[in-house]
Amino acid sequence: MPLAPRLPAPPETLAVLEESYDRVLRRDPGEPEFHQAVHEVLESLGPVLAARPGLATAKLVERVIEPERQIMFRVPWQDDKGEIHVNRGFRVEFNGALGPYKGGLRFHPTVNLGIVKFLGFEQIFKNALTGLGIGGGKGGSDFDPHGRSDEEVMRFCQSFMTELYRHVGEHTDVPAGDIGVGGREIGYLFGQYRRVTNRWEAGMLTGKGALWGGSAGRTEATGYGNVMFTHEMLRRRGEDLDGRQIVVSGSGNVAIYTVEKAQQLGANVITVSDSGGYVVDEKGIDLDLLKHVKEVDRGRVSDYADMRGASARFVPGGRVWDVPADIALPSATQNELDAEAARILVRNGVKAVSEGANMPTTPEAVHIFQDAGVAFGPGKAANAGGVAVSALEMRQNASRAAWSFSRVEEELSAIMTNIHDTCYETAERYGAPGDYVVGANIAGFERVAEAMLAQGLI
Ligand code: NDP
């Protein structure tokens, strides 16, 4: 797909961006998600390069799209029947100009180098937006934890960390969770790190348990943060969440705590989903039941529907975007909300869409929302709450402190408001009022570029 600049810029500037993008296509074939993430950022950068030609001379764009380091490794492990499996592990340390590399680990059968690079690239700008001194990285494996026993997951995590430990550390690279990596996996990974290094280094991993260095509020942070960001977008338009009908996709960590915060603010959330289909619950999602099914039983949303009774209906293979709503909060995975779904949502009167997941909205769908005047919150701003509280966890670890839930939530709220305002004001400054995509990309890029320039040719 050719670059379609979001803002006007001189031809020589656009040529720099085109060349950089072509280079990515040429050098990294077979990585469509990475191409998509780069494409989206470069489309916003014209006016920045035009205003500061020094950035082009310093080849800042070319440097930013090239990871500092990419690590791939073999992860052999044995299942409960004694059969041996060989998975592939990844860690991409994308950009450390603002602080230690920071970003989650994803365990899902679709994980490959291109997926990890797209996530790591997004993470650079997201982390910059938090203002908390963290660089961008991401990792994971094509291991599928679904249907595996706790013992199998533990053996896999131990094997994974037996290689990863030499690349990470509290001052180097600090992983966390993502799809397929929650509290259980973080525990096994931390235990193995401690075992092989003989060090209690709490700040080397975030999302830890409360008893052993974790932060209150980390589990809730991404979902809560996205709702806070949505609330800020609505406030700018003189509206709020009270009484709004919301569709949420996914039923994992981000989705569950999106439902929780939205309900606290008076909204009615009527859907959740997984890869098997979705549930629509006319009475509003019963959060206690959802948590029980997903966090205790490790069940499916179809189990939720079975247990909930008459108000809930399971739609196998369907997508939540067919359900009329005021607000849509995609919280499952990349490219889950396409142009067709966007048209349906717009036709049904959606007012705001905000990304809890990373890149869940296709580029065509983003344009459909923005052209229709829908407030659109891009993931690198809207879902930054998770990594922000991870950075607060690192802060607590460094001082051996443990903050209360209410303190963390207050800090999270202030950070999300600040990210919102930064994106909003940056977009206005560059002549694109209300365009949070432009605002997030430019504000994140400017911070990273500044730090890279100051640190010499890195
Ligand atoms: P979880 O593993 O807890 O939950 C993922 C949810 O998404 C599950 O309901 C899963 O369904 C569904 N899902 C995953 N892959 C697919 C797919 N290919 N098709 C349909 N459904 C799918 O992950 P999280 O909630 O942590 O992450 C969700 C999203 O949020 C991801 O994009 C992640 O990168 C992003 N994110 C997460 C952060 C965090 O703090 N956890 C921080 C910032 C962003 P099933 O069980 O059927 O696979």
Side-chain angles (χ1 to χ4, degrees), residues 106 108 119 126 138 146 177-180 218 222 250-255 273-275 294 300 331-333 356-358 383 386:
R106 176 177 291 191
H108 194 271
L119 291 163
K126 180 187 309 192
K138 199 84 186 187
H146 282 116
D178 191 79
I179 291 178
R218 174 60 187 91
T222 308
S251 52
N253 170 261
V254 177
S273 69
D274 58 28
S275 50
K294 296 300 299 181
R300 316 289 300 158
S331 309
T333 194
N358 284 310
N383 72 33

Side-chain angles (χ1 to χ4, degrees), residues 5 32 37 50 61-62 85 87 91 95 123 133 195 203 212 237 256 286-287 293 307 380 406 413 442 458:
V61 175
E62 274 138 287
H85 299 262
N87 282 100
R91 187 73 186 165
N95 194 303
Q123 198 81 45
R195 196 170 167 211
W212 42 281
R237 297 173 165 219
I256 289 173
D286 177 337
L287 190 62
V293 169
M307 294 162 84
K380 61 172 78 70
S406 57
S413 173
I442 294 183
I458 53 165

Side-chain angles (χ1 to χ4, degrees), residues 52-53 65 91 98 126 184 188 213 230 239 246 324 381 407 432:
R52 299 182 59 185
I65 58 186
R91 187 73 186 165
L98 288 173
K126 180 187 309 192
R184 173 183 62 172
Y188 296 149
T230 307
E239 296 170 19
I246 301 190
R407 173 168 178 193

Side-chain angles (χ1 to χ4, degrees), residues 195-422:
R195 196 170 167 211
V196 294
T197 60
N198 191 28
R199 271 203 308 269
W200 178 270
E201 194 187 323
M204 61 72 53
L205 200 63
T206 58
K208 300 181 293 294
L211 285 175
W212 42 281
S215 175
R218 174 60 187 91
T219 308
E220 292 82 356
T222 308
Y224 275 31
N226 188 26
V227 177
M228 290 165 178
F229 190 91
T230 307
H231 188 65
E232 288 303 313
M233 289 200 299
L234 290 172
R235 248 167 31 121
R236 285 280 168 162
R237 297 173 165 219
E239 296 170 19
D240 62 27
L241 280 159
D242 194 28
R244 300 289 183 192
Q245 188 109 315
I246 301 190
V247 287
V248 169
S249 66
S251 52
N253 170 261
V254 177
I256 289 173
Y257 293 94
T258 297
V259 175
E260 183 163 293
K261 180 48 83 182
Q263 289 182 345
Q264 285 172 10
L265 295 178
N268 184 30
V269 184
I270 52 170
T271 65
V272 285
S273 69
D274 58 28
S275 50
Y278 73 87
V279 164
V280 57
D281 189 333
E282 299 302 344
K283 281 197 193 153
I285 295 295
D286 177 337
L287 190 62
D288 289 340
L289 178 60
L290 179 66
K291 283 186 181 176
H292 187 84
V293 169
K294 296 300 299 181
E295 295 180 345
V296 181
D297 293 350
R298 294 189 183 273
R300 316 289 300 158
V301 296
S302 54
D303 301 325
Y304 170 94
D306 289 345
M307 294 162 84
R308 174 71 163 144
S311 72
R313 184 166 50 91
F314 176 63
V315 183
R319 302 194 304 173
V320 301
W321 321 123
D322 294 338
V323 179
D326 303 310
I327 295 165
L329 302 176
S331 309
T333 194
Q334 64 273 3
N335 293 328
E336 55 167 317
L337 201 174
D338 60 12
E340 190 197 341
R343 283 191 201 97
I344 294 170
L345 283 165
V346 169
R347 211 164 42 236
N348 286 334
V350 76
K351 295 204 163 37
V353 177
S354 194
E355 298 185 320
N358 284 310
M359 211 168 74
T361 317
T362 66
E364 298 79 20
V366 174
H367 285 292
I368 290 168
F369 289 134
Q370 292 187 320
D371 291 348
V374 173
F376 179 78
K380 61 172 78 70
N383 72 33
V387 76
V389 172
S390 277
L392 301 183
E393 183 172 329
M394 291 160 72
R395 222 178 253 183
Q396 292 168 73
N397 293 153
S399 60
R400 294 192 182 269
W403 301 351
S404 67
F405 185 90
S406 57
R407 173 168 178 193
V408 173
E409 193 177 9
E410 244 169 63
E411 300 243 3
L412 172 64
S413 173
I415 291 166
M416 294 315 298
T417 303
N418 187 267
I419 292 174
H420 171 276
D421 294 353
T422 300

